[in-house]
Amino acid sequence: KNYQVLDIGTGSGCILISILQERKKCKGTGIDLSKEAIKIAEINAKIQQLQNRVNFIYSGVDKFLSSKYDLIVSNPPYIKTCELKNLNEDIKNYEQIMALDGGSDGLSEVKKIIIRSSELLKRGGRLVLEIGHGQLNSVVNMLKEKKYYINNISKDLAGKTRCITSIKI
């Protein structure tokens, strides 16, 4: 289908670009608060010859104004601020802190995304969120409060709950 896809916190654009490679009729928009990330995402889209089907915008989710989307995906910052110092060196050395720091409870950006997505998604649209370990119940409650139906909960390779797919009802 001709779905419109939004990637919140797109980073290098890898998730959105992968979706567009698989779904040839879809078009996408990626937003991020890092100008450097937006430049990298644009380069990656060009390498994959998708620059005509994707648009990358320097913006935060709370200030992003646009039309309605069929699918919103996000791998937001979800690590508690106090846990950042305990991350593996590979993560600390190669990821921007703003892409990791989810605030004191790890959920500050997740909350913003759920609230804003309820306005940006079409009815019946899907929201796919990556979450941190131990955040499932809190995120499910937030989603239900904003009138989402929980469609699927996925685990990562370590067996930890990592992704929630929900539908706007």
Side-chain angles (χ1 to χ4, degrees):
K1 295 185 178 182
N2 299 327
Y3 283 161
Q4 292 293 321
V5 182
L6 175 63
D7 183 4
I8 299 171
T10 196
S12 67
C14 63
I15 295 172
L16 181 56
I17 289 168
S18 296
I19 291 169
L20 296 180
Q21 285 177 315
E22 292 292 321
R23 303 288 184 224
K24 304 296 183 199
K25 295 181 181 179
C26 293
K27 292 188 178 179
T29 302
I31 62 172
D32 204 291
L33 283 172
S34 167
K35 289 181 182 178
E36 182 181 320
I38 293 295
K39 287 178 188 173
I40 291 168
E42 288 170 341
I43 291 167
N44 288 337
K46 189 172 184 176
I47 289 168
Q48 298 302 322
Q49 300 177 344
L50 292 169
Q51 65 270 26
N52 296 331
R53 293 178 36 219
V54 67
N55 187 25
F56 294 103
I57 300 169
Y58 171 69
S59 178
V61 68
D62 46 352
K63 294 188 169 106
F64 182 68
L65 302 172
S66 185
S67 58
K68 299 281 186 170
Y69 291 89
D70 301 287
L71 172 64
I72 297 177
V73 296
S74 185
N75 178 4
Y78 54 75
I79 299 169
K80 293 178 184 178
T81 304
C82 66
E83 294 176 359
L84 291 171
K85 63 185 176 297
N86 301 327
L87 293 174
N88 291 337
E89 291 301 315
D90 336 346
I91 297 170
K92 279 195 245 184
N93 295 335
Y94 297 103
E95 292 284 345
Q96 294 180 343
I97 290 297
M98 67 190 266
L100 301 170
D101 190 348
S104 61
D105 62 356
L107 295 170
S108 63
E109 294 302 312
V110 174
K111 287 175 195 172
K112 282 186 205 176
I113 290 166
I114 291 171
I115 290 167
R116 199 66 185 99
S117 293
S118 69
E119 300 163 7
L120 293 169
L121 260 180
K122 293 177 182 176
R123 180 174 294 238
R126 293 178 191 266
L127 172 63
V128 181
L129 274 175
E130 182 168 332
I131 62 168
H133 180 64
Q135 295 177 339
L136 178 63
N137 291 336
S138 297
V139 175
V140 165
N141 289 336
M142 284 187 261
L143 286 164
K144 286 181 177 179
E145 186 178 300
K146 285 295 179 185
K147 308 292 186 239
Y148 284 93
Y149 167 77
I150 308 306
N151 180 251
N152 190 37
I153 297 170
S154 304
K155 295 181 185 277
D156 63 15
L157 295 176
K160 295 180 180 178
T161 300
R162 190 60 64 203
C163 189
I164 299 176
T165 303
S166 57
I167 300 171
K168 181 180 173 184
I169 50 179

